[in-house]
């Protein structure tokens, strides 16, 4: 009888796993999916806690670079060992782990997810899937090659409001879609776009392994409390992706699903309120062109993004000017009406310049987290795996490259992974990982 380790190490197991990931579960002789959680507080705690709410899961290990942020998981599963370095966790307990949540700051998603998938572990990774475009392409390819079950942490994908709106659009209630305007109230988290590193950085608390927190990114001192860790990293270009990176994968998600966008944008142009080399702007606008689909009126479709509190114009939408738009959401402008989808709220439909009394069928909410667990147990890939989530992430991160070339339209060849009209801009597609953190293909 092969042990879990010997079974997983055989080429036969690898081939079978790629074809049918659930098969390995059958060898486990343990009815529960054995999970790890990487990143244990903040969103990590909610990811771990949600997964633990599924009757068929059991957490066998946790990892957080900051031991002060592991109190909740200790209470949840007192006998599960806690690591600060996920690589040590995988070295020591790799055989016991079937899958893992990855809920660290953005800059570490790709390296951790890549290491997990190479060990044939199923992965639920927070949005955005990666910190740069070439990492996203790498993760998409690796997910396909390994056949593990993957899901992006854009949980509203499974919410009734988003599911209902996507179905309503696909059912043709507003006709084919001519344009989409998306927006988000979040700013570069209240900062000016010109914030600089702390001039008198303090040492990290003893509970934090700072070298591990910085990981793939260029080293810098700990800084100050909450400057980078926890939460503050979002503002900083080396670690986060600003408001577009934070919310783009949520708010564009129903746009991608409703219109069945699977391809890359062909061009994108950004305007913003200004930035330095360290942080993202306080307010941005990005205009994308995507190839049309069966749900669009033309062979291409314009999709725009605004953040930092500016709302899109309702001109040309048929939505009365007296309507108060939600703080964040999207307007789908169709040939026969417009649909406003708040983030997260029930849609409204406007036809002929006024609110419509159409009542399209409402789809129920599904449990996004448990959908991934069920996928791991059954071998069925959920709807927003890393192929979908990778394409969504690439589009979001390309918008962030446009932000670096304010006012200049960048043309993109997604297959060749090349910005074709601005050679210099291609340098932002990838980043050299810090020594010791290279990501092998
Ligand atoms: N889906 C959502 O609605 C949603 C909401 C908030 C955040 N997020 C995403 O979740 C991720 C985490 O965001 P957050 O707000 O919780 O950040 P955070 O900084 O508050 O928490 C991150 C946690 O990960 C730990 N960590 C950092 N680096 C680590 C590493 N290399 N290995 C293990 N643990 C590590 C930190 O100590 C901390 O406990 C981000 O990708 C963010 O975009 C998603």
């Amino acid at each position: 009888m092969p042990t879990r380790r010997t079974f997983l190490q055989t080429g036969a197991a690898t081939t079978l796993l790629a074809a049918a990931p659930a098969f390995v579960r059958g060898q486990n002789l343990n009815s529960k999916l054995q999970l790890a959680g990487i990143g244990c507080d903040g969103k990590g705690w909610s990811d771990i806690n949600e997964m633990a709410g599924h009757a068929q899961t059991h957490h066998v290990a946790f990892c957080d670079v900051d031991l002060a942020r592991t109190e909740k998981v200790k209470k949840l599963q007192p006998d599960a060992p806690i690591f600060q370095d996920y690589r040590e966790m995988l070295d020591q307990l790799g055989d016991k782990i079937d899958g893992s949540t990855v809920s660290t700051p953005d800059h570490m998603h790709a390296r951790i997810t890549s290491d997990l998938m190479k060990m044939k572990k199923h992965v639920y990774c927070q949005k955005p899937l990666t910190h740069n475009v070439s990492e996203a392409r790498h993760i998409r390819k690796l997910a396909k090659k390994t056949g593990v079950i993957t899901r992006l942490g854009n949980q509203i994908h499974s919410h009734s409001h988003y599911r209902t709106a996507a179905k309503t659009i696909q059912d043709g209630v507003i006709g084919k879609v001519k344009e989409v305007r998306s927006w988000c109230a979040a700013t570069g988290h209240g900062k000016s776009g010109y914030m600089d590193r702390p001039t008198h950085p303090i040492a990290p608390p003893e509970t934090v392994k700072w070298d591990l927190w910085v990981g793939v990114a260029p080293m810098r001192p700990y800084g100050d409390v909450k400057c980078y860790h926890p939460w503050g990293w979002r503002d900083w270009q080396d670690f986060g992706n600003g408001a577009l990176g934070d919310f783009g994968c949520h708010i564009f998600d129903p746009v991608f699903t409703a219109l069945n966008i699977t391809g890359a944008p062909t061009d994108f142009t950004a305007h913003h309120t200004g930035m330095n080399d360290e942080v993202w702007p306080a307010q941005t606008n990005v205009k994308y062109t995507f190839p049309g689909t069966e749900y669009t009126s033309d062979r291409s479709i314009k999709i725009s993004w605004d953040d930092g509190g500016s709302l899109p114009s309702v001109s040309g939408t048929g939505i009365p000017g007296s309507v108060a738009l939600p703080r964040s959401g999207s307007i789908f402008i169709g040939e026969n009406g417009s649909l406003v989808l708040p983030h997260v709220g029930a849609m409204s439909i406007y036809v002929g310049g006024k609110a419509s009394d159409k009542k399209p069928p409402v789809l129920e909410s599904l449990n996004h987290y448990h959908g991934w667990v069920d996928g791991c147990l059954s071998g069925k890939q959920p709807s927003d795996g890393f192929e979908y989530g990778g394409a969504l992430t690439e589009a979001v991160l390309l918008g962030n490259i446009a932000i670096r070339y304010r006012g200049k339209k960048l043309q993109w060849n997604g297959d060749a992974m090349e910005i074709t009209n601005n050679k210099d801009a291609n340098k932002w597609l990838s980043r050299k990982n810090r020594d010791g953190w290279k990501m092998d293909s």
Side-chain angles (χ1 to χ4, degrees), residues 43 64 69 106 109 126-127 153 155 229 231 233-234:
K43 186 60 190 154
D64 198 297
R69 291 174 65 85
D106 300 356
H109 289 181
Q126 268 310 324
K127 42 50 52 176
Q155 68 279 4
H229 164 73
W231 180 265
W233 53 266
R234 287 166 163 72

Side-chain angles (χ1 to χ4, degrees), residues 38-44 63-66 69 84 86 103-106 108-109 112 126-128 153-156 212-213 228-234 246 250:
I38 304 177
C40 293
D41 211 328
K43 186 60 190 154
C63 172
D64 198 297
V65 297
D66 185 351
R69 291 174 65 85
Q84 283 180 286
Y86 77 92
S103 320
T104 64
D106 300 356
M108 286 303 289
H109 289 181
I112 297 175
Q126 268 310 324
K127 42 50 52 176
N154 54 347
Q155 68 279 4
I156 304 138
L212 296 177
W213 190 97
Y228 309 120
H229 164 73
W231 180 265
W233 53 266
R234 287 166 163 72
D246 211 0
H250 280 312

Side-chain angles (χ1 to χ4, degrees), residues 185-193 195 235 281-282 308:
T187 166
H189 300 283
K191 307 289 171 20
S192 64
M195 186 165 64
D235 291 329

Side-chain angles (χ1 to χ4, degrees), residues 124-140:
Y124 180 99
C125 180
Q126 268 310 324
K127 42 50 52 176
L129 183 57
T130 63
H131 185 253
N132 66 53
V133 177
S134 60
E135 287 175 341
R137 192 60 66 93
H138 165 73
I139 295 296
R140 283 169 78 174

Side-chain angles (χ1 to χ4, degrees), residues 143-164:
K144 199 167 180 185
K145 186 170 153 194
T146 57
V148 297
I149 299 299
T150 61
R151 186 158 231 187
L152 190 68
N154 54 347
Q155 68 279 4
I156 304 138
H157 181 83
S158 300
H159 195 286
S160 166
H161 294 322
Y162 274 15
R163 297 182 69 230
T164 300

